[in-house]
Amino acid sequence: MRVRILASGSGGNLSLYESDGFVILVDAGVDPGGLASRLRSVGAEYTRPDALVVTHGHADHCAHAREYAESAGIPTYMTDSTAKVVKPNSARHVFRYTAREPFAIGPFEIRPCAVAHDVPQVALRIESDGCAAVIATDLGEVPPELHGLLVGAQLAMIESNHDLHMLEVGPYPRFLKRRVGGPRGHLSNIQCAALLRALPASVETAVLMHLSEKNNRPEIALECAAEALSDRPTTLLAAKQYDKLVFDLKPRARDEVASASEPDPAKVDAIARALAAPSGRAKSAPLPGQLALKLGG
Ligand SMILES: [Zn+2]
Ligand SMILES: [Zn+2]
């Protein structure tokens, strides 16, 4: 399975999942023409996806969903609450899913998991041919179910939206700071690090997603995450707004799959509390310049 991240952040989101010649797009933060030109620029063999899955009804994820469904005629999957925002003119090409039930599109099995945000939102596990990727952005807290979604996945794309100090002293009005940092807002670098610390052994690559351009910097997010992953050989990257990242996932051997275990949610909570202690930033992290992509060997 091949995964491409072509936009991540409040300026628009889209990622693509390819397997068996079938391509799913997750989120429509960029219009179909913009997507086609991006795909040409990275030498992709296609310029339109076979299906679109929209995670939630915020413009950076759903602004162009109607164009994909109605102008481009691409089967588009959304929840009822997202449909109330997207307001498709016709049910043609529009399909519903719920946050509670897995569903299939082509060769892919998709498992959603409800996460807390200020509109109904889901994290998604996208699986095909023995490979799995999880995308979890736009969430204020990490629900225990998200750990289950990550078990056996090779790629974890996790929000690392803001640095607590930058948010506090940054330009946002008070109400927006409360919203972003609240339990229905976005994951901070520290919350992301707590989740990374408890990642299942199957995860080979972690990508920090949906970084705020005002309240975060990639080197700060990477420093915090690198500290959390320092004792394991996980490749770590941060997706900037219009980066073009590609990952080729390979199926894991059977015995590796059998040994993958669920992380302990109590351990995750304890780590989150420890990381949230006063200074807010990891102290013994490597300097940004030392951040090798392959950490800990
Ligand atoms: Zn967003
Ligand atoms: Zn959102």
Side-chain angles (χ1 to χ4, degrees):
M1 178 161 97
R2 174 170 285 180
V3 179
R4 294 180 194 273
I5 302 170
L6 296 185
S8 180
S10 54
N13 292 275
L14 65 89
S15 53
L16 294 130
Y17 305 80
E18 310 166 31
S19 179
D20 269 351
F22 197 98
V23 181
I24 288 182
L25 168 65
V26 168
D27 281 335
V30 172
D31 64 83
L35 173 63
S37 67
R38 263 158 227 260
L39 286 168
R40 273 193 294 272
S41 76
V42 294
E45 285 146 10
Y46 58 90
T47 52
R48 61 177 265 147
D50 297 295
L52 162 66
V53 180
V54 184
T55 58
H56 69 294
H58 280 158
D60 54 326
H61 300 260
C62 76
H64 301 281
R66 223 160 66 178
E67 288 165 70
Y68 282 96
E70 294 174 6
S71 309
I74 291 170
T76 296
Y77 293 72
M78 59 184 85
T79 60
D80 281 343
S81 51
T82 301
K84 284 183 188 144
V85 178
V86 172
K87 296 189 175 66
N89 290 315
S90 134
R92 213 167 151 235
H93 307 304
V94 175
F95 300 85
R96 299 298 165 89
Y97 72 90
T98 75
R100 292 175 300 281
E101 286 158 298
F103 56 104
I105 308 178
F108 293 94
E109 167 144 341
I110 301 180
R111 238 170 87 195
C113 162
V115 293
H117 194 42
D118 49 5
V119 298
Q121 158 68 331
V122 291
L124 297 173
R125 175 190 174 101
I126 298 156
E127 190 161 359
S128 177
D129 208 16
C131 301
V134 171
I135 181 161
T137 71
D138 301 70
L139 64 167
E141 292 177 330
V142 174
E145 300 77 28
L146 184 52
H147 298 286
L149 215 62
L150 285 158
V151 171
Q154 292 97 332
L155 176 64
M157 293 164 281
I158 309 289
E159 172 165 63
S160 194
N161 178 260
H162 55 277
D163 171 76
L164 291 177
H165 179 68
M166 285 183 73
L167 178 65
E168 180 55 36
V169 302
Y172 280 11
R174 174 73 25 206
F175 82 91
L176 195 51
K177 289 180 181 182
R178 272 205 297 272
R179 190 218 136 208
V180 169
R184 294 180 169 274
H186 291 269
L187 281 194
S188 69
N189 293 342
I190 285 175
Q191 288 171 299
C192 175
L195 175 55
L196 295 181
R197 218 173 266 267
L199 277 182
S202 62
V203 175
E204 293 155 4
T205 304
V207 187
L208 310 181
M209 305 284 285
H210 215 295
L211 271 65
S212 167
E213 291 184 313
K214 297 235 164 31
N215 304 309
N216 209 352
R217 288 207 304 271
E219 61 271 25
I220 294 176
L222 282 166
E223 182 185 324
C224 195
E227 213 275 336
L229 292 171
S230 59
D231 60 349
R232 47 179 294 164
T234 307
T235 301
L236 174 65
L237 296 160
K240 296 187 221 67
Q241 178 65 68
Y242 294 116
D243 266 352
K244 293 166 182 164
L245 303 176
V246 60
F247 304 94
D248 284 313
L249 311 190
K250 300 273 178 287
R252 295 164 62 234
R254 258 174 205 289
D255 52 339
E256 283 181 70
V257 175
S259 68
S261 63
E262 298 258 355
D264 178 359
K267 182 179 156 199
V268 179
D269 287 348
I271 292 166
R273 278 196 301 276
L275 281 168
S279 82
R281 289 267 304 281
K283 294 207 173 55
S284 58
L287 295 169
Q290 294 175 309
L291 283 170
L293 292 184
K294 200 83 180 170
L295 293 166

